[in-house]
Amino acid sequence: MATTLRTWSGLISALLAGSDLTAADAGWAMDQLVMGEVSPAQISGFLIALRAKGETAEEIAGLASVLRSHATPVRIAGPFVDIVGTGGDRTGAVNISTMAAVVVAATGVTVVKHGGRAASSTAGGSADLVEHLGVPLDLTAVEAARSAAAVGITYLFAPRFNPALHHVAVVRRELAVPTAFNVLGPLINPADPSCQLVGVADPRMLPVIAGALATRGGSALVVGGDDGLDKLTTTGLSRVWVVHAGSASQVVFDPRSLGLAPVSLAELRGGDAAFNARVLRGVVDGQLGPVRDVVLLNAAAALVTLELGRGVLLEQMAECLERCREAVDSGRAAATLQRWARGVL
């Protein structure tokens, strides 16, 4: 059942009754939120009612579409990818997405990474690591595009490019429970990438995010480890939703199929930004071990999103994994990190 009641009491009542919203109604709600025309009580009621009912792909797509329309646009030339996770997996793992982004850039594929600071992680968010490396978080849209062209990688700090998020920041902190905003981050990259690797910590949300991405077209792998990691994991199996040509389908991925031996989650654990920066430098300098393996695996998956529909997924993963290994072993990943950290534009 869908609602078309464009009032807060109407939307919240419908959600409490278990009714799903249309994308248009969800978009109306988001538009009101980002314009600052909603009270904290209404925001709280809407987010909690939506969470209690369970978000649908259509609702998430509607929320994300409007939020993205309010973002500062970033124009990037040529094909590019985003590697991003919802966060919130509470595994304490190192910043796998950011590390994989450097490797992907070293293969010659441009990465436009969108992210922010950690809300509840001892390992910190992507922004914490990027900032520690010396990459500025206050780039303008033009400067971000220039970085992508010069280095092959750029970082879009979510609060800078999505200023409307501040309207719900206080409510989210005070609620201290997951809401739809916890999964919207990967869907609101202001550069609007057509290829993405999206990690999702909550298993329930994997098909929802995949469905929302399918409505936009483009290609994506939406992944989550059975260990709770919001990435492709090397501790065991991962659930993968393949999004291509407007549809989404699920497969199960076993890292052993690519010759990667299972490891413990403790072997992937990170620390603060300084610790994670040292780990990243070790990876790009060719240090072998569990972190290198999981980083290369996720970098390979990101490359595959550019090739979906053109071959067998596992074969593509194997080929891209070799490309990523070579990018590290050749020294190109270390050079890419050095140029990015120096702010070469």
Side-chain angles (χ1 to χ4, degrees):
M1 175 181 176
T3 175
T4 54
L5 301 176
R6 298 292 175 84
T7 66
W8 283 103
S9 60
L11 293 184
I12 294 172
S13 295
L15 292 171
L16 291 174
S19 297
D20 295 334
L21 304 183
T22 63
D25 283 337
W28 176 87
M30 180 60 77
D31 195 55
Q32 297 293 302
L33 285 172
V34 298
M35 295 298 289
E37 299 175 356
V38 189
S39 71
Q42 289 170 320
I43 296 173
S44 300
F46 175 74
L47 293 176
I48 291 298
L50 184 60
R51 176 69 178 181
K53 177 190 71 67
E55 300 92 343
T56 66
E58 186 174 2
E59 289 164 344
I60 292 296
L63 293 170
S65 176
V66 170
L67 188 53
R68 198 167 55 251
S69 73
H70 284 272
T72 301
V74 180
R75 311 298 182 193
I76 304 293
F80 61 92
V81 300
D82 184 15
I83 310 171
V84 62
T86 59
D89 61 17
R90 300 185 183 277
T91 63
V94 294
N95 299 101
I96 295 169
S97 290
T98 306
M99 297 180 186
V102 173
V103 175
V104 170
T107 70
V109 172
T110 301
V111 180
V112 181
K113 182 158 174 55
H114 176 247
R117 300 194 188 279
S120 58
S121 172
T122 57
S126 58
D128 302 292
L129 173 57
V130 166
E131 184 177 51
H132 184 84
L133 291 170
V135 178
L137 299 181
D138 60 350
L139 295 179
T140 65
V142 172
E143 290 169 336
R146 193 178 300 146
S147 173
V151 189
I153 184 170
T154 196
Y155 188 85
L156 307 181
F157 185 43
R160 180 168 180 80
F161 290 92
N162 295 278
L165 291 172
H166 83 272
H167 290 298
V168 296
V170 173
V171 171
R172 290 184 64 199
R173 281 198 303 269
E174 292 180 349
L175 284 176
V177 297
T179 68
F181 278 92
N182 290 74
V183 298
L184 285 174
L187 304 175
I188 59 173
N189 186 324
D192 197 17
S194 60
C195 297
Q196 288 182 278
L197 174 65
V198 179
V200 180
D202 183 352
R204 180 184 68 86
M205 295 302 294
L206 279 164
V208 174
I209 300 301
L213 284 167
T215 66
R216 292 172 54 189
S219 299
L221 294 179
V222 183
V223 304
D226 283 0
D227 56 3
L229 194 66
D230 67 332
K231 308 288 182 294
L232 280 177
T233 188
T234 49
T235 71
L237 302 179
S238 295
R239 310 293 152 172
V240 179
W241 283 83
V242 181
V243 180
H244 181 66
S247 64
S249 58
Q250 185 186 24
V251 297
V252 177
F253 174 76
D254 186 338
R256 292 175 297 183
S257 64
L258 294 179
L260 300 176
V263 301
S264 70
L265 197 53
E267 293 176 275
L268 305 179
R269 196 148 290 145
D272 60 14
F275 177 90
N276 293 334
R278 289 194 297 273
V279 173
L280 171 55
R281 291 190 179 100
V283 169
V284 299
D285 285 340
Q287 182 176 323
L288 302 179
V291 174
R292 169 184 161 109
D293 287 347
V294 77
V295 168
L296 293 181
L297 175 63
N298 282 273
L303 289 179
V304 166
T305 65
L306 294 161
E307 305 292 336
L308 289 178
R310 301 179 191 175
V312 178
L313 182 62
L314 187 58
E315 293 176 357
Q316 291 176 314
M317 285 288 294
E319 292 171 2
C320 289
L321 187 60
E322 285 306 311
R323 285 179 61 189
C324 293
R325 284 197 182 108
E326 197 274 333
V328 172
D329 294 340
S330 67
R332 292 201 307 276
T336 297
L337 177 61
Q338 185 178 44
R339 284 170 56 81
W340 191 31
R342 288 206 322 262
V344 175
L345 299 177

